[in-house]
Amino acid sequence: MKPANAVLSSYGTTIFEVMSQLAQKHDAINLGQGFPDGNGPEDVVRVAAEYLETGVNQYPSMWGMPALRQAVAAHNARFYGLDVDWQSEVMVTSGGTEALASSLFGLIEPGDEVVLIEPLYDSYLPIVRRAGGVPRLVRMTPPDWALPRDALAAAFSPATKLILLNSPMNPCSRVFDADELGFIAALLEEYDAYAVCDEVYEHLLFDGRRHVPLMTLPGMRERAVRIGSAGKTFSLTGWKVGYITAAPELLSPIAKAHQFITFTTPPNLQAAVAYGLAKDDLYFKGLADELQSKRDRMTKGLRDIGFAVLDCAGTYFITTDFRPLGFNGEDVDFCRHITTEARVAAVPVSAFYQGGDQGDKVRHFARFSFCKDDATLDEALGRLARHFGGCQVPGGP
Ligand code: PMP
Ligand code: GLN
């Protein structure tokens, strides 16, 4: 047999699937893969269900249904003051993941350099490589996850085509501040490069923070590709509805990739997401507030057990250092151990470092998802507390 594609064949199964399978096998509470408990907002789901029976279930336009594209443009204006033309600057995709892949395939020419910041989401590097991009990795490390500005500047060169930027950032829950975004924007202008901005967690920021799209900075309107996801904004991760906002010159080549990858996205889900994006401010605030209280619940519970818990400014995720518990192995062993022995799954942070040789700095951290019902979180904390012999958690068994 002739070998399949070498780049993609070099990767194993993604850590999210691996840990979810292991969690299922051991009947563990799955705090590994990031998906909320529950079934999303009832009214949004109802619109999808009704559309399925009463709407048009044939191919929508490859650009997405007008109602959703208009809703994305209106959302950009409402939250970020962006003036976006829904017809030439918005495209619907099958999830943030497809939006990322179409953006990278559409923009990268083989040999182009692409700047990426570790820790990074699993799909970034394989797609950059498959598109022929040459990755230039810059590393942020726990516990402070500081942006190494000198290394970032050194990663740029005249061959840089784009930076892939994720804020709020998975898994480290960092939100880049205005000064950091300004620093990145200056590099993009200096090197005439683009930014593909993974902003799927745009509504999941805590402690009064507000999301700032790179696209809103001076000079970035024409250089930034902004990606959102209904999966995160409506706690419906299985829907895989994403949306791209970009200037026509960037969106047009991205659409060329999209038309050959998924072409379109189920119309009933698009209709429901269009409805959802127009929900009132209370919905969006409530989403962040609720998650913030879950973050606080997990932070306290994990600290009481003995974990060192790192700061978390947004997203679904909390990073913990497990060494204070006396576990001397590596993160992969720890996550397997708690899945099989305590029956609580987490994800090893080293999985987000794909640039090789992670050294000692990142191999003793586990990522827990806290986008779960309080009862689920309490049960997970109770199991971990019993396993590690720590104090009982409030509300725990
Ligand atoms: N980017 C990041 C950083 C993510 O965590 C996720 C979540 N799966 C995605 C993109 C993909 O979003 P979607 O599920 O809409 O494809
Ligand atoms: N974004 C989710 C996470 O980081 C997982 C997405 C996936 O399983 N592909 O946990």
Side-chain angles (χ1 to χ4, degrees), residues 14-17 20 31-35 97 121-123 170-171 200-201 232 237 240 316-317 347 352 367 369:
T14 174
I15 190 67
F16 306 121
E17 180 75 11
S20 287
L31 304 187
Q33 193 177 28
F35 60 92
T97 309
Y121 184 57
D122 66 343
S123 76
N170 178 7
V200 300
Y201 297 103
K232 319 293 173 192
T237 58
K240 302 296 279 191
Y316 287 157
F317 311 112
V347 164
F352 296 83
R367 187 198 81 172
S369 303

Side-chain angles (χ1 to χ4, degrees), residues 46-96:
R46 197 177 331 113
V47 173
E50 279 169 8
Y51 189 96
L52 206 52
E53 293 211 300
T54 59
V56 179
N57 285 295
Q58 308 306 334
Y59 295 133
S61 158
M62 62 169 269
W63 293 92
M65 285 164 43
L68 179 50
R69 294 161 68 202
Q70 287 160 2
V72 171
H75 170 274
N76 277 313
R78 170 178 162 196
F79 287 97
Y80 311 119
L82 284 164
D83 182 13
V84 170
D85 173 25
W86 70 270
Q87 285 182 292
S88 60
E89 299 190 303
V90 176
M91 186 172 72
V92 177
T93 60
S94 290

Side-chain angles (χ1 to χ4, degrees), residues 8 12 23 38 44 63 83 87 121 147 165 225 272 278 286 288 315 327 333 353 362 377 393:
L8 295 175
V44 176
W63 293 92
D83 182 13
Q87 285 182 292
Y121 184 57
L147 183 69
L165 192 67
V225 174
T315 77
F327 191 96
D333 305 321
Y353 290 81
V362 305
L377 296 177
V393 289

